[in-house]
Amino acid sequence: MRFTLLGSGTSTGVPIAGCQCAVCQSKHPRNFRNRTAGLIELPSGFTILVDAGPDLRHQCIAHRVTRIDAVLYTHGHADHILGTDDLRSFNFISRKRISCYGTTETLASLRRAFSYIFDPEPMYLGGMLAQLDLHDFEPDGILKIDEATLQVFSLPHGNVNVTGFRIGELAYLTDFKGLPAAAEPTLRGVKHLFIDGIRYEPHPTHNSIDEAVEIARCVGAERTYIIHTTHSVDYETVNPALPEGVELGYDGLKLAFSA
Ligand SMILES: [Zn+2]
Ligand SMILES: [Zn+2]
Ligand SMILES: [Zn+2]
């Protein structure tokens, strides 16, 4: 299987529009971060998008995504769902509907934000609406998408719950603060860990970088990639300062992994 990190930035993206700080003015390519999202390609070519944020169109063009068969939504925050309308492009290409997976809580947010797609006007006369099928799943357990088996678990993120998952050698944990003890055994010894670590300063609903590093150490992750980082995180100063086996995730990071 292959994984591509389509975006590694926090909800505003980096640079933040209008911000004059050094990181937002930086020309270093890894200080350009689209909203956090990922792409899983199965050996058959079946492709699962992880979150459809507001940068989806740009991400698909930049990373030459030609196929999306399914979407796994981690939660219903704007930076993870607002690209949903752009899934239409992949309906046009494949002439197939796209299966969208989320917990009941996540799908409720998606239905609210995109009521024109999921509850269309009977007399609608515009262009083709996105052709999406919603599938809910239990927050903790096994989720099968095509040939892929994902172990899903719930992560605390303020007053919403976020879906974290492990698929073989890879785990993806965005938008949360503090790992619930119940999720630890699922993550033990994971080879590639993508984990929210927004910045060094503490945050009420996201791990700090130090908290993320501690979780990675605790579960014995081989290789850790910090994601969902904000504009106080300068790639050139923070990345070299991270402990062995830990690095900042960056847009376009690609790796191969096994089931
Ligand atoms: Zn987010
Ligand atoms: Zn800034
Ligand atoms: Zn969030």
Side-chain angles (χ1 to χ4, degrees):
M1 290 183 277
R2 286 193 299 172
F3 180 81
T4 306
L5 189 62
L6 296 177
S8 55
T10 192
S11 58
T12 52
V14 178
I16 297 177
C19 184
Q20 300 293 311
C21 83
V23 173
C24 291
Q25 297 299 311
S26 158
K27 295 279 180 276
H28 195 285
R30 293 190 181 172
N31 283 330
F32 285 81
R33 299 175 205 130
N34 280 316
R35 267 53 78 92
T36 291
L39 194 77
I40 299 167
E41 292 166 87
L42 306 185
S44 64
F46 189 95
T47 300
I48 305 166
L49 175 70
V50 183
D51 287 331
D55 297 318
L56 181 64
R57 175 174 169 272
H58 297 288
Q59 290 166 320
C60 290
I61 294 167
H63 306 295
R64 298 189 166 75
V65 178
T66 56
R67 177 172 173 182
I68 294 177
D69 301 284
V71 185
L72 171 56
Y73 289 96
T74 60
H75 64 303
H77 280 165
D79 55 323
H80 299 261
I81 68 168
L82 283 188
T84 294
D85 196 76
D86 286 330
L87 293 169
R88 266 169 356 123
S89 306
F90 294 93
N91 291 139
F92 292 142
I93 293 162
S94 68
R95 300 174 185 274
K96 287 185 190 153
R97 298 177 69 81
I98 296 172
S99 303
C100 298
Y101 296 83
T103 60
T104 307
E105 177 186 350
T106 298
L107 295 187
S109 303
L110 195 63
R111 282 180 196 277
R112 262 197 309 279
F114 293 97
S115 59
Y116 65 94
I117 296 177
F118 299 111
D119 185 20
E121 275 179 53
M123 300 303 284
Y124 173 74
L125 292 173
M128 190 185 97
L129 294 172
Q131 306 288 301
L132 310 174
D133 294 321
L134 300 181
H135 302 277
D136 63 357
F137 59 82
E138 291 300 316
D140 295 272
I142 298 291
L143 171 63
K144 293 238 183 215
I145 303 180
D146 193 57
E147 314 234 291
T149 302
L150 297 91
Q151 293 166 278
V152 295
F153 43 87
S154 194
L155 297 168
H157 179 41
N159 54 13
V160 307
N161 296 297
V162 173
T163 297
F165 65 87
R166 178 167 182 171
I167 172 170
E169 294 176 330
L170 185 142
Y172 186 92
L173 288 70
T174 192
D175 293 61
F176 76 108
K177 186 181 178 75
L179 186 70
E184 269 188 49
T186 305
L187 294 171
R188 191 143 306 283
V190 69
K191 189 165 180 185
H192 304 288
L193 174 66
F194 290 82
I195 183 169
D196 176 12
I198 192 165
R199 62 189 188 196
Y200 278 112
E201 304 74 35
H203 188 287
T205 62
H206 293 271
N207 299 315
S208 68
I209 290 175
D210 290 335
E211 287 165 342
V213 167
E214 177 56 23
I215 292 167
R217 196 196 56 76
C218 210
V219 300
E222 255 179 63
R223 196 84 214 156
T224 299
Y225 312 89
I226 307 284
I227 56 173
H228 213 284
T229 49
T230 189
H231 69 152
S232 58
V233 177
D234 173 30
Y235 190 87
E236 288 179 285
T237 49
V238 173
N239 196 56
L242 291 171
E244 172 98 45
V246 182
E247 61 177 293
L248 290 177
Y250 54 87
D251 292 27
L253 184 162
K254 272 182 195 289
L255 55 83
F257 67 101
S258 304

